[in-house]
């Protein structure tokens, strides 16, 4: 079972438990003032007197006024530099230093006497302001007016910016962080820091009685909080937000991060408020508050104890550093959900390192990305079906043909990798589970929770929430703590399709950790997600994210904007992916869309897209817009992006930005991709085997989609089928398999009953892929849950032995240079014969001879005995869902039937035409072209009663949906009174 990684040297009593610990507030020891305190205050007074009064008096008496009394002439620049000149310059420097120090003293005195909190910073002051703070604090130590207590004078020489250590707060489980799991050492450090300075503790205790606090509210059920709105509600003037910012700047929050910009606040943060704040949402005296939970009281208590200790240039405890407003050591830590025991594991737990290497001839990047591979494979199949249908509707007789191009080279390897790596069942479970959860919450009139991430572990689905959202609807359960909702695999498999909008379409796979796959919800991130690392590695991550967002199966609609990369990726999903040329175009677009979405949400009465997705218009609006920016933004562009992203999560907009530097100003979450394919996010406690799509695989994937594009079809003759057989009497095969209809094999002995099903299925797969089948594709098709190589190799040898050899001793199953399994030409299926007859009738001898064409088309229809593998057992042949042949065969049969019907109608043989159409309808019962042609053939018989009966039968087949428009129009032409006749017959 995977366990949570931790850097703590001590474990919890439960070992694997990751639930947050509540630390009981310790009584504060109040130290009485001593003689030493009075001595320090007296010395501080003397020091201030000397520095503020003595220094300017000495300068005035010794040097006088150092600057010229009038405007100097140009001759002054040519005068000789004397010792007096140097002394005057030195005196000017001292005067400036004195003025700066005096300003520092005034600022510190104002902050201390008014109780405002964090004093403003004097530009360039540095150690001067620290010295002023120490002296003022020592002077006021013996009085009651001191607003805060700062580190002792002994720290003066350590510097304000460089060496001062800040407070590390307990990593509480709050919505401010992604994973909300505390480290043991963070709690230990917080407990130690709580005792820092007896005088500081006494001062904090004294302040508790009249200080008020506000906890930033989560986005559900309301707009995102902002300091302006908080100031407007509780201070009566939004412009006073700067006072709140000054009170709380750089102080450690419950999630371990700090307030560094007034526009970047997060749910769950604690804000100390000015003394005149008012309103019911405020909390006074943390230890005495009764209207808040114990956890919130503890957070406010810890925050109040922090005070000025937590300020000091954003520095951390030894071993940590601040990046982008987060605390790197002792803050967040990823908590991988505990993996339950299962009898078997599906493809969703695969943890193949996402490198650009190859395994047995196939790219590993796609082998280890089951959800991405399933999405690409499904989208590719859909694209190929579109091309087939457009070809079929283009003309009778297949002028464009219906043979999709056979990939070769890297494209073939990538296609095989998609077939091996794809986990369509995992995608289906994920999609159904999320939609069913949304439907259950809507039935209970509950909003969707904010989901930061999803983990797929051993077939179970764990949703990681931004904050506790109550008890989940059954069969969902609370996971390892209140921020996890868990659904077991068995429960997920019982879900059916739900007519509900996709609730979390922004989920995208990042990689695996401890056999668990992580999907990050990009649209829920409270700000920008940055990605650093080498350009090529970043590009591979960006390509993987873009490809999965474009093709995933758990989204309805979305827009993915690509900037700085991915122009060649748009063929994957032209309706989802769009490419912009530069950052300026992106900023203009997103500023306009942000305004539009804010207005639309307000007009609809929604607080966020999550509430909109459970309403009556759930299927028509609130689709996410995810921005993937690989180009390095400038400082000004970064600022504008941060402003746009600060409240974008409630609008359904997410930003993933690449950067060459390790830090991106304004980034909420920061990640790094290493050259070894590791995705690191220390602030989130993540170290993943990254999911990547390297350049070579990316190009091959795009090639597959471009070749399958309906607009990419051939302009000339239709392509030749990949395998043509000799349809003459001399071309009788050694082994003949009937696949079109019930499965039969002629020319081979029946294998043992225990082996028969597997051997028949393996042979069918090989017959449908005359270009060859990779052994790994074969094993993944027959054993979708996995199999060892020795079992697969044993089956291949058994299959080779069963098929035997040709008279010349050549085995009928061989392995080519690429390792793929290929059947000999002497092993033929009826589908091969059907394709060959159809090709010969339309493009071969039948194209120039009417008699030959009629005979070949008639022979082709005789071959057709029903749907493909009509009697296949339930639970087997699931790989057919990835095949194009299931859509290709009905279209070929329909084209043959239409061509043969036209052949007979030219000679007024309507009954023969009807017979041909009836034969085609047994394999292609839903093809509208066949029904329309059957109407024409029936009308050609002149039997009105027969035509009316057929029209009534068509209306009955149409059901509540009615007849297609073209069919209705044809009936109006052939049988104007058909509606009356049908009504009378009904």
């Amino acid at each position: 079972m995977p366990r949570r990684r931790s850097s703590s040297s001590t474990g919890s009593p439960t070992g694997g438990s990751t639930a947050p610990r509540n630390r009981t507030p310790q009584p504060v020891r109040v130290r009485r003032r001593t003689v030493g305190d009075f001595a320090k205050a007296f010395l501080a007074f003397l020091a201030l007197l000397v520095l503020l009064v003595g220094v300017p008096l000495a300068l005035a008496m010794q040097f006088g006024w150092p600057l010229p009394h009038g405007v100097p002439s140009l001759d002054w620049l040519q005068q000789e530099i004397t010792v007096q000149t140097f002394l005057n310059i030195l005196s000017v420097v001292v005067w400036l230093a004195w003025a700066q120090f005096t300003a520092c003293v005034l600022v510190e005195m104002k902050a201390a006497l008014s109780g405002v909190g964090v004093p403003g910073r004097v530009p360039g002051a540095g150690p001067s302001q620290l010295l002023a703070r120490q002296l003022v604090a020592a002077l006021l130590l013996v009085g009651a007016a001191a607003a805060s207590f700062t580190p002792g004078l002994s720290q003066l020489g350590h510097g304000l910016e460089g060496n001062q250590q800040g407070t590390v707060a307990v990593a509480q489980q709050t919505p401010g962080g992604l994973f909300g799991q505390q480290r043991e050492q963070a709690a230990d450090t917080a407990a130690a820091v709580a005792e820092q300075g007896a005088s500081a503790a006494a001062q904090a205790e004294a302040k508790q009685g009249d200080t008020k606090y506000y906890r930033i509210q989560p986005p559900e059920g309301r707009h995102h909080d902002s300091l302006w709105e908080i100031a407007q509600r509780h201070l009566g003037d939004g412009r006073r937000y700067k006072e709140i910012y000054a009170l709380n700047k750089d102080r450690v929050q419950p999630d371990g991060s700090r307030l560094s910009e007034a526009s970047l606040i997060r749910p769950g943060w604690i804000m100390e408020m000015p003394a005149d704040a008012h309103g019911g949402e405020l909390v006074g005296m943390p230890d005495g508050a009764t209207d808040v939970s114990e956890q919130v009281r503890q957070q406010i208590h810890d925050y109040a104890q922090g005070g000025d200790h937590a300020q000091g240039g954003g520095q951390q405890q030894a071993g940590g550093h601040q990046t982008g407003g987060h605390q790197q050591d002792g803050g967040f830590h990823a908590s991988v959900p505990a993996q339950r025991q299962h009898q078997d594991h599906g493809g969703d737990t695969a943890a193949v390192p996402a490198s650009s290497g190859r395994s047995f001839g196939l790219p590993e990047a796609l082998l280890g990305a089951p959800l991405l591979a399933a999405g690409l494979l499904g989208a590719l199949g859909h694209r190929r079906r579109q091309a087939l249908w457009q070809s079929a509707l283009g003309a009778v007789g297949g002028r464009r043909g219906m043979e999709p191009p056979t990939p070769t080279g890297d494209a073939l390897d990538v296609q095989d990798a998609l077939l091996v790596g794809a986990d369509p069942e995992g995608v289906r479970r994920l999609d159904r589970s999320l939609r069913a959860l949304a439907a259950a919450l809507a039935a209970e009139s509950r909003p969707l929770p904010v989901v930061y991430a999803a983990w797929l572990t051993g077939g179970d689905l764990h949703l990681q929430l931004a904050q506790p959202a109550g008890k989940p609807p059954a069969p969902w359960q609370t996971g390892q703590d209140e921020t996890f909702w868990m659904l077991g695999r068995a429960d997920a498999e019982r879900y059916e399709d739900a007519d509900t909008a996709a609730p979390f379409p922004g989920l995208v796979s990042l990689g695996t950790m401890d056999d668990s796959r992580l999907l990050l919800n990009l649209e829920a991130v409270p700000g920008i997600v940055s990605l650093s690392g080498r350009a090529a590695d970043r590009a591979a991550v960006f390509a993987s994210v873009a490809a999965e967002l474009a093709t995933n199966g758990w989204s309805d609609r979305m827009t993915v904007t690509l900037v700085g990369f991915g122009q060649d990726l748009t063929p994957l999903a032209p309706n989802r992916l769009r490419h912009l040329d530069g950052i300026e175009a992106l900023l203009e677009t997103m500023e306009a869309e942000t305004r539009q979405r804010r207005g639309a949400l307000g007009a609809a009465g929604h607080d966020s897209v999550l509430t909109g997705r459970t309403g009556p218009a759930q299927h028509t609006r609130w689709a996410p817009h995810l921005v993937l920016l690989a180009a390095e933004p400038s400082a000004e562009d970064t600022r504008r992006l941060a402003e746009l992203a600060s409240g974008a999560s409630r609008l359904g907009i997410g930003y993933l930005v690449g950067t060459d530097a390790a830090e991106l100003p304004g980034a909420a979450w920061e990640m790094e991709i290493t050259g070894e394919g590791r995705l690191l996010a220390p602030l989130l406690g993540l170290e993943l085997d990254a999911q990547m799509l390297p350049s070579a695989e990316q190009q091959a994937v795009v090639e597959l989609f471009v070749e399958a594009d309906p607009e990419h079809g051939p302009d000339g003759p239709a392509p030749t089928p990949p395998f043509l057989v000799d349809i003459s009497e001399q071309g009788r095969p050694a082994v003949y398999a009937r696949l079109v209809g019930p499965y039969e094999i002629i020319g081979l002995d029946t294998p043992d009953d225990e082996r028969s099903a597997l051997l028949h299925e393996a042979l069918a797969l090989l017959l449908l892929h005359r270009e060859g089948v990779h052994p790994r594709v074969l094993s993944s098709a027959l054993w979708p849950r996995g199999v060892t190589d020795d079992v697969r190799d044993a089956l291949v040898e058994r299959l080779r032995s069963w098929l035997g050899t040709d008279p010349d001793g050549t085995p009928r199953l061989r392995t080519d240079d690429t390792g793929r399994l290929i059947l000999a030409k002497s092993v033929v299926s009826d589908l091969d014969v059907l394709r060959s007859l159809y090709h010969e009738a339309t493009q071969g001898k039948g194209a120039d001879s009417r008699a030959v064409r009629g005979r070949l088309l008639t022979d082709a229809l005789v071959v057709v005995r029903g749907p493909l593998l009509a009697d296949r057992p339930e639970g087997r042949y699931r790989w057919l869902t990835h095949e194009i042949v299931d859509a290709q065969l009905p279209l070929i049969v329909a084209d043959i039937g239409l061509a043969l019907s036209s052949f007979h109608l030219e000679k007024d043989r309507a009954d023969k035409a009807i017979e041909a159409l009836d034969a085609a309808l047994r394999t292609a019962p839903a093809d509208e072209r066949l029904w329309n042609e059957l109407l024409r053939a029936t009308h050609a018989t002149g039997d009105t009663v027969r035509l009316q009966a057929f029209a009534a039968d068509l209306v009955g087949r149409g059901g509540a949906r009615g007849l297609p428009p073209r069919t209705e129009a044809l009936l109006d032409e052939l049988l104007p009174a058909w509606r009356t006749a049908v009504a009378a017959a009904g």
Side-chain angles (χ1 to χ4, degrees), residues 146 157 175 274 284 326 331 341 350 392 460-462 480 526 598 664 709 714 775 877:
H326 291 280
Q341 294 295 331
D460 297 339
L461 172 60
H462 302 255
Q480 58 203 62
R598 283 201 184 107
L664 183 70
D709 194 322
Y877 297 87

PDB file of all heavy atoms in Angstrom, residues 146 157 175 274 284 326 331 341 350 392 460-462 480 526 598 664 709 714 775 877:
ATOM      1  N   ALA A 146       3.215  49.661  24.026  1.00  0.00           N
ATOM      2  CA  ALA A 146       3.887  48.889  22.976  1.00  0.00           C
ATOM      3  C   ALA A 146       2.904  48.001  22.270  1.00  0.00           C
ATOM      4  O   ALA A 146       2.210  47.225  22.879  1.00  0.00           O
ATOM      5  CB  ALA A 146       5.019  48.075  23.589  1.00  0.00           C
ATOM      6  N   GLY A 157      23.065  42.727  14.635  1.00  0.00           N
ATOM      7  CA  GLY A 157      24.099  42.501  13.648  1.00  0.00           C
ATOM      8  C   GLY A 157      23.758  41.469  12.598  1.00  0.00           C
ATOM      9  O   GLY A 157      24.493  41.279  11.656  1.00  0.00           O
ATOM     10  N   PRO A 175      -8.515  25.558   3.249  1.00  0.00           N
ATOM     11  CA  PRO A 175      -8.606  25.681   1.798  1.00  0.00           C
ATOM     12  C   PRO A 175      -7.530  26.520   1.182  1.00  0.00           C
ATOM     13  O   PRO A 175      -7.493  26.684  -0.021  1.00  0.00           O
ATOM     14  CB  PRO A 175      -9.985  26.323   1.595  1.00  0.00           C
ATOM     15  CG  PRO A 175     -10.301  26.977   2.875  1.00  0.00           C
ATOM     16  CD  PRO A 175      -9.644  26.147   3.937  1.00  0.00           C
ATOM     17  N   PRO A 274      -8.310  46.210  11.825  1.00  0.00           N
ATOM     18  CA  PRO A 274      -8.169  47.420  12.632  1.00  0.00           C
ATOM     19  C   PRO A 274      -9.167  47.448  13.782  1.00  0.00           C
ATOM     20  O   PRO A 274     -10.192  46.751  13.759  1.00  0.00           O
ATOM     21  CB  PRO A 274      -8.432  48.543  11.620  1.00  0.00           C
ATOM     22  CG  PRO A 274      -8.069  47.953  10.302  1.00  0.00           C
ATOM     23  CD  PRO A 274      -8.449  46.507  10.395  1.00  0.00           C
ATOM     24  N   GLY A 284     -13.609  37.943  17.694  1.00  0.00           N
ATOM     25  CA  GLY A 284     -12.767  38.550  18.715  1.00  0.00           C
ATOM     26  C   GLY A 284     -12.116  37.477  19.543  1.00  0.00           C
ATOM     27  O   GLY A 284     -12.256  36.296  19.290  1.00  0.00           O
ATOM     28  N   HIS A 326       4.651  31.198  -0.796  1.00  0.00           N
ATOM     29  CA  HIS A 326       4.421  29.925  -0.112  1.00  0.00           C
ATOM     30  C   HIS A 326       5.576  29.615   0.807  1.00  0.00           C
ATOM     31  O   HIS A 326       6.692  30.083   0.628  1.00  0.00           O
ATOM     32  CB  HIS A 326       4.293  28.773  -1.126  1.00  0.00           C
ATOM     33  CG  HIS A 326       3.048  28.859  -1.931  1.00  0.00           C
ATOM     34  ND1 HIS A 326       1.832  28.447  -1.461  1.00  0.00           N
ATOM     35  CD2 HIS A 326       2.823  29.326  -3.183  1.00  0.00           C
ATOM     36  CE1 HIS A 326       0.909  28.628  -2.388  1.00  0.00           C
ATOM     37  NE2 HIS A 326       1.494  29.166  -3.438  1.00  0.00           N
ATOM     38  N   GLY A 331       5.322  23.359   5.245  1.00  0.00           N
ATOM     39  CA  GLY A 331       4.014  23.825   4.816  1.00  0.00           C
ATOM     40  C   GLY A 331       3.183  22.670   4.317  1.00  0.00           C
ATOM     41  O   GLY A 331       2.872  21.747   5.027  1.00  0.00           O
ATOM     42  N   GLN A 341      -6.878  -2.940  -0.868  1.00  0.00           N
ATOM     43  CA  GLN A 341      -6.526  -4.189  -1.537  1.00  0.00           C
ATOM     44  C   GLN A 341      -7.584  -4.540  -2.569  1.00  0.00           C
ATOM     45  O   GLN A 341      -8.782  -4.471  -2.311  1.00  0.00           O
ATOM     46  CB  GLN A 341      -6.422  -5.327  -0.504  1.00  0.00           C
ATOM     47  CG  GLN A 341      -5.276  -5.138   0.463  1.00  0.00           C
ATOM     48  CD  GLN A 341      -3.926  -5.187  -0.211  1.00  0.00           C
ATOM     49  OE1 GLN A 341      -3.770  -5.852  -1.217  1.00  0.00           O
ATOM     50  NE2 GLN A 341      -2.969  -4.477   0.350  1.00  0.00           N
ATOM     51  N   ALA A 350      -1.209   2.189 -13.558  1.00  0.00           N
ATOM     52  CA  ALA A 350       0.094   2.033 -14.174  1.00  0.00           C
ATOM     53  C   ALA A 350       0.990   3.192 -13.806  1.00  0.00           C
ATOM     54  O   ALA A 350       0.576   4.315 -13.727  1.00  0.00           O
ATOM     55  CB  ALA A 350      -0.055   1.943 -15.696  1.00  0.00           C
ATOM     56  N   ALA A 392     -18.902   7.989 -47.408  1.00  0.00           N
ATOM     57  CA  ALA A 392     -20.090   7.239 -47.801  1.00  0.00           C
ATOM     58  C   ALA A 392     -21.171   8.163 -48.349  1.00  0.00           C
ATOM     59  O   ALA A 392     -21.876   7.821 -49.303  1.00  0.00           O
ATOM     60  CB  ALA A 392     -20.623   6.458 -46.601  1.00  0.00           C
ATOM     61  N   ASP A 460      -9.763   2.906  -7.073  1.00  0.00           N
ATOM     62  CA  ASP A 460     -10.608   3.811  -6.295  1.00  0.00           C
ATOM     63  C   ASP A 460     -10.367   5.245  -6.737  1.00  0.00           C
ATOM     64  O   ASP A 460      -9.277   5.606  -7.201  1.00  0.00           O
ATOM     65  CB  ASP A 460     -10.310   3.689  -4.799  1.00  0.00           C
ATOM     66  CG  ASP A 460     -10.623   2.306  -4.261  1.00  0.00           C
ATOM     67  OD1 ASP A 460     -11.419   1.586  -4.909  1.00  0.00           O
ATOM     68  OD2 ASP A 460     -10.077   1.933  -3.206  1.00  0.00           O
ATOM     69  N   LEU A 461     -11.381   6.065  -6.571  1.00  0.00           N
ATOM     70  CA  LEU A 461     -11.298   7.486  -6.919  1.00  0.00           C
ATOM     71  C   LEU A 461     -11.360   8.316  -5.642  1.00  0.00           C
ATOM     72  O   LEU A 461     -12.296   8.174  -4.849  1.00  0.00           O
ATOM     73  CB  LEU A 461     -12.446   7.871  -7.855  1.00  0.00           C
ATOM     74  CG  LEU A 461     -12.616   9.363  -8.166  1.00  0.00           C
ATOM     75  CD1 LEU A 461     -11.365   9.922  -8.828  1.00  0.00           C
ATOM     76  CD2 LEU A 461     -13.845   9.600  -9.034  1.00  0.00           C
ATOM     77  N   HIS A 462     -10.367   9.154  -5.434  1.00  0.00           N
ATOM     78  CA  HIS A 462     -10.316  10.048  -4.278  1.00  0.00           C
ATOM     79  C   HIS A 462     -10.344  11.482  -4.778  1.00  0.00           C
ATOM     80  O   HIS A 462      -9.484  11.882  -5.568  1.00  0.00           O
ATOM     81  CB  HIS A 462      -9.041   9.816  -3.455  1.00  0.00           C
ATOM     82  CG  HIS A 462      -8.876   8.422  -2.951  1.00  0.00           C
ATOM     83  ND1 HIS A 462      -9.096   8.071  -1.634  1.00  0.00           N
ATOM     84  CD2 HIS A 462      -8.523   7.280  -3.587  1.00  0.00           C
ATOM     85  CE1 HIS A 462      -8.872   6.779  -1.476  1.00  0.00           C
ATOM     86  NE2 HIS A 462      -8.518   6.278  -2.660  1.00  0.00           N
ATOM     87  N   GLN A 480      -9.590   9.715   4.064  1.00  0.00           N
ATOM     88  CA  GLN A 480      -8.706   9.696   5.222  1.00  0.00           C
ATOM     89  C   GLN A 480      -8.902  10.897   6.134  1.00  0.00           C
ATOM     90  O   GLN A 480      -8.467  10.894   7.273  1.00  0.00           O
ATOM     91  CB  GLN A 480      -7.258   9.627   4.747  1.00  0.00           C
ATOM     92  CG  GLN A 480      -6.850  10.772   3.830  1.00  0.00           C
ATOM     93  CD  GLN A 480      -5.672  10.400   2.968  1.00  0.00           C
ATOM     94  OE1 GLN A 480      -5.735   9.473   2.158  1.00  0.00           O
ATOM     95  NE2 GLN A 480      -4.571  11.092   3.149  1.00  0.00           N
ATOM     96  N   PRO A 526      -6.306  28.617  -7.196  1.00  0.00           N
ATOM     97  CA  PRO A 526      -6.509  30.022  -6.828  1.00  0.00           C
ATOM     98  C   PRO A 526      -5.378  30.910  -7.325  1.00  0.00           C
ATOM     99  O   PRO A 526      -4.679  31.559  -6.556  1.00  0.00           O
ATOM    100  CB  PRO A 526      -6.549  29.968  -5.299  1.00  0.00           C
ATOM    101  CG  PRO A 526      -5.668  28.818  -4.946  1.00  0.00           C
ATOM    102  CD  PRO A 526      -5.882  27.791  -6.035  1.00  0.00           C
ATOM    103  N   ARG A 598     -17.756  37.460 -15.590  1.00  0.00           N
ATOM    104  CA  ARG A 598     -18.234  38.066 -14.357  1.00  0.00           C
ATOM    105  C   ARG A 598     -19.666  38.588 -14.532  1.00  0.00           C
ATOM    106  O   ARG A 598     -20.537  38.386 -13.685  1.00  0.00           O
ATOM    107  CB  ARG A 598     -17.309  39.207 -13.944  1.00  0.00           C
ATOM    108  CG  ARG A 598     -16.007  38.765 -13.300  1.00  0.00           C
ATOM    109  CD  ARG A 598     -15.412  39.889 -12.473  1.00  0.00           C
ATOM    110  NE  ARG A 598     -14.114  39.511 -11.934  1.00  0.00           N
ATOM    111  CZ  ARG A 598     -12.954  39.987 -12.365  1.00  0.00           C
ATOM    112  NH1 ARG A 598     -12.934  40.866 -13.352  1.00  0.00           N
ATOM    113  NH2 ARG A 598     -11.811  39.600 -11.827  1.00  0.00           N
ATOM    114  N   LEU A 664       8.052  32.404 -10.285  1.00  0.00           N
ATOM    115  CA  LEU A 664       7.245  33.291 -11.108  1.00  0.00           C
ATOM    116  C   LEU A 664       6.417  34.149 -10.176  1.00  0.00           C
ATOM    117  O   LEU A 664       5.576  33.635  -9.428  1.00  0.00           O
ATOM    118  CB  LEU A 664       6.332  32.491 -12.039  1.00  0.00           C
ATOM    119  CG  LEU A 664       5.484  33.325 -12.998  1.00  0.00           C
ATOM    120  CD1 LEU A 664       6.378  33.967 -14.065  1.00  0.00           C
ATOM    121  CD2 LEU A 664       4.410  32.468 -13.665  1.00  0.00           C
ATOM    122  N   ASP A 709      -8.249  13.153 -40.946  1.00  0.00           N
ATOM    123  CA  ASP A 709      -9.143  14.301 -41.105  1.00  0.00           C
ATOM    124  C   ASP A 709     -10.048  14.090 -42.307  1.00  0.00           C
ATOM    125  O   ASP A 709      -9.573  13.751 -43.397  1.00  0.00           O
ATOM    126  CB  ASP A 709      -8.311  15.572 -41.288  1.00  0.00           C
ATOM    127  CG  ASP A 709      -9.154  16.819 -41.112  1.00  0.00           C
ATOM    128  OD1 ASP A 709     -10.312  16.817 -41.550  1.00  0.00           O
ATOM    129  OD2 ASP A 709      -8.651  17.799 -40.535  1.00  0.00           O
ATOM    130  N   PRO A 714      -8.477  11.710 -50.234  1.00  0.00           N
ATOM    131  CA  PRO A 714      -7.832  11.761 -51.547  1.00  0.00           C
ATOM    132  C   PRO A 714      -8.712  12.452 -52.576  1.00  0.00           C
ATOM    133  O   PRO A 714      -9.924  12.342 -52.555  1.00  0.00           O
ATOM    134  CB  PRO A 714      -7.630  10.282 -51.888  1.00  0.00           C
ATOM    135  CG  PRO A 714      -8.714   9.578 -51.125  1.00  0.00           C
ATOM    136  CD  PRO A 714      -8.899  10.357 -49.862  1.00  0.00           C
ATOM    137  N   PRO A 775       3.092  -7.626 -30.563  1.00  0.00           N
ATOM    138  CA  PRO A 775       2.762  -8.572 -29.485  1.00  0.00           C
ATOM    139  C   PRO A 775       2.140  -7.904 -28.256  1.00  0.00           C
ATOM    140  O   PRO A 775       1.260  -8.490 -27.615  1.00  0.00           O
ATOM    141  CB  PRO A 775       4.120  -9.206 -29.159  1.00  0.00           C
ATOM    142  CG  PRO A 775       4.920  -9.070 -30.408  1.00  0.00           C
ATOM    143  CD  PRO A 775       4.480  -7.783 -31.031  1.00  0.00           C
ATOM    144  N   TYR A 877     -13.678  -9.655 -26.993  1.00  0.00           N
ATOM    145  CA  TYR A 877     -13.592  -8.796 -28.178  1.00  0.00           C
ATOM    146  C   TYR A 877     -13.868  -7.327 -27.828  1.00  0.00           C
ATOM    147  O   TYR A 877     -14.385  -6.560 -28.647  1.00  0.00           O
ATOM    148  CB  TYR A 877     -14.570  -9.260 -29.266  1.00  0.00           C
ATOM    149  CG  TYR A 877     -14.278 -10.639 -29.798  1.00  0.00           C
ATOM    150  CD1 TYR A 877     -14.804 -11.777 -29.177  1.00  0.00           C
ATOM    151  CD2 TYR A 877     -13.474 -10.821 -30.924  1.00  0.00           C
ATOM    152  CE1 TYR A 877     -14.535 -13.046 -29.649  1.00  0.00           C
ATOM    153  CE2 TYR A 877     -13.201 -12.089 -31.412  1.00  0.00           C
ATOM    154  CZ  TYR A 877     -13.730 -13.199 -30.762  1.00  0.00           C
ATOM    155  OH  TYR A 877     -13.462 -14.454 -31.237  1.00  0.00           O
TER     156      TYR A 877
END
